[in-house]
């Protein structure tokens, strides 16, 4: 398993060379497919977070990457958006893309650049499962709990396995029990958990035969840019319906959490 320094170097190199949806997404499936996948992510985020009254809110987007969710916070009417990323490659480009917002190089497991209870809301999207060190993973929840004000909102995406944990070099898929326990210890209650994707991503919480079969199909379907675009366009129509009709997902889910009021 990669060390924290190795992970940072991995993402620095990856985002420096590919600052697009495929750079931050499922790279093996190519940019055309990822572009369709992110349309589903966008619809789910806007639908779920749009239910909250966060207009004019002060927001932290931790692990901003390309700024995809920074732009969605803008669309939802956030008053002030601050972003951070562990890589210089992302921070420098984010500052150019969003000159009216503040961006700093900061790891989500630290967040010491920010004041206690300094934000009404925070998001940490498609980041946490890339933290392979368990201590840093727990520290990320504590850091987010420190910077979000009591009564504030945290929005994350996670894989929430109800099967055994899966550990890889650059990703760890943790159990729903682990995630819920650490969120609780950091002062958060899970308000809502919904599918963010269904078929357009690795089926990490499905049986091994299905995971391998579907993964092989996706890689074959996206072997060229044109076929990847077509596969994405077709699955987009399916996934955007499935995420509305299902309560749980075999892949990435969106969680809305509320920071408990202090005693």
């Amino acid at each position: 398993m990669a060390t924290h320094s190795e992970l940072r170097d991995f993402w620095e190199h990856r985002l420096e060379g590919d600052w697009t949806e495929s750079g931050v997404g499922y790279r093996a499936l190519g940019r055309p497919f990822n572009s369709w996948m992110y349309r589903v992510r966008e619809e789910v985020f806007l639908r779920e977070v749009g239910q909250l009254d966060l207009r004019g809110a002060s927001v932290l987007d931790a692990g901003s990457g390309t700024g995809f969710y920074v732009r969605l916070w803008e669309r939802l009417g956030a008053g002030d958006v601050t972003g951070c990323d562990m890589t210089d490659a992302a921070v420098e480009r984010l500052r150019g893309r969003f000159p009216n917002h503040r961006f700093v190089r900061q790891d989500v497991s630290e967040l010491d650049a920010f004041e206690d209870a300094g934000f009404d809301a925070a998001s940490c999207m498609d980041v946490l499962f890339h933290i392979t060190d368990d201590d840093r993973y727990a520290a990320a929840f504590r850091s987010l709990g420190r910077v979000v004000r009591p009564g504030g909102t945290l929005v994350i995406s996670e894989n929430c396995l109800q099967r055994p944990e899966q550990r890889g070099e650059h990703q760890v898929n943790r159990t729903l029990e682990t995630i819920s326990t650490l969120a609780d210890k950091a002062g958060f209650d899970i308000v809502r958990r919904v599918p963010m994707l269904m078929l357009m991503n690795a089926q990490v919480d499905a049986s091994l035969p299905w995971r391998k079969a579907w993964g092989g199909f996706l890689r074959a379907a996206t072997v060229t840019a044109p076929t990847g675009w077509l596969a994405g366009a077709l699955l987009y129509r399916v996934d955007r319906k499935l995420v509305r009709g299902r309560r749980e997902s075999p892949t990435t889910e969106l969680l809305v959490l509320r920071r408990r009021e202090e005693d």
Side-chain angles (χ1 to χ4, degrees):
M1 188 175 299
T3 65
H4 177 67
S5 177
E6 289 170 338
L7 281 173
R8 185 174 64 191
D9 291 343
F10 168 81
W11 286 105
E12 190 78 62
H13 177 75
R14 178 161 165 171
L15 292 182
E16 187 174 32
D18 185 8
W19 198 54
T20 68
E21 293 91 343
S22 60
V24 296
Y26 194 163
R27 192 175 191 179
L29 303 185
R31 185 177 180 184
F33 185 89
N34 272 277
S35 295
W36 284 107
M37 181 199 295
Y38 269 84
R39 291 194 187 192
V40 182
R41 293 178 184 271
E42 176 179 321
E43 290 181 13
V44 174
F45 188 92
L46 291 175
R47 183 188 75 223
E48 296 300 322
V49 183
Q51 297 179 39
L52 308 170
D53 185 10
L54 293 172
R55 290 170 295 178
S58 175
V59 174
L60 171 67
D61 181 53
S64 294
T66 63
F68 181 84
Y69 295 98
V70 172
R71 199 174 298 282
L72 298 188
W73 279 116
E74 288 181 331
R75 287 179 59 182
L76 290 171
D80 175 62
V81 182
T82 299
C84 67
D85 197 273
M86 70 188 301
T87 69
D88 287 322
V91 170
E92 291 174 5
R93 292 171 177 174
L94 286 163
R95 288 171 178 168
R97 177 171 287 181
F98 302 98
N100 295 325
H101 299 312
R102 177 192 177 203
F103 294 95
V104 298
R105 184 182 177 189
Q106 182 84 91
D107 190 288
V108 68
S109 63
E110 298 167 354
L111 300 183
D112 52 15
F114 309 115
E115 298 179 357
D116 293 1
F119 298 96
D120 299 310
S123 54
C124 189
M125 304 300 294
D126 311 323
V127 171
L128 292 172
F129 45 75
H130 290 300
I131 302 176
T132 57
D133 182 272
D134 290 338
D135 290 338
R136 284 190 169 271
Y137 185 84
F141 271 106
R142 292 195 300 271
S143 296
L144 290 163
R146 182 183 62 79
V147 300
V148 174
R149 66 167 177 79
T153 299
L154 172 64
V155 185
I156 67 172
S157 62
E158 256 292 7
N159 290 314
C160 300
L161 299 191
Q162 299 187 60
R163 295 171 182 268
E165 181 181 273
Q166 302 162 9
R167 306 188 75 90
E169 185 178 8
H170 297 121
Q171 181 167 324
V172 174
N173 301 317
R174 295 176 171 87
T175 65
L176 175 60
E177 181 180 7
T178 296
I179 296 164
S180 300
T181 298
L182 292 174
D184 177 69
K185 288 181 178 179
F188 289 105
D189 294 322
I190 298 176
V191 176
R192 201 158 56 253
R193 178 171 65 90
V194 300
M196 194 164 199
L197 295 164
M198 290 296 295
L199 295 174
M200 298 186 77
N201 205 2
Q203 305 287 283
V204 295
D205 204 21
S207 66
L208 183 59
W210 172 249
R211 289 205 322 259
K212 288 188 173 182
W214 188 250
F217 167 76
L218 286 179
R219 287 189 292 274
T222 58
V223 69
T224 68
T227 59
W229 187 94
L230 180 60
L234 294 174
L235 284 175
Y236 164 74
R237 295 172 180 266
V238 177
D239 247 29
R240 67 193 305 258
K241 293 181 179 179
L242 289 178
V243 294
R244 288 180 175 271
R246 303 294 177 91
R247 297 182 61 184
E248 295 184 329
S249 169
T251 184
T252 309
E253 297 179 330
L254 181 143
L255 288 77
V256 178
L257 304 94
R258 182 178 181 273
R259 181 72 166 86
R260 290 193 293 271
E261 299 285 352
E262 296 178 344
D263 296 331

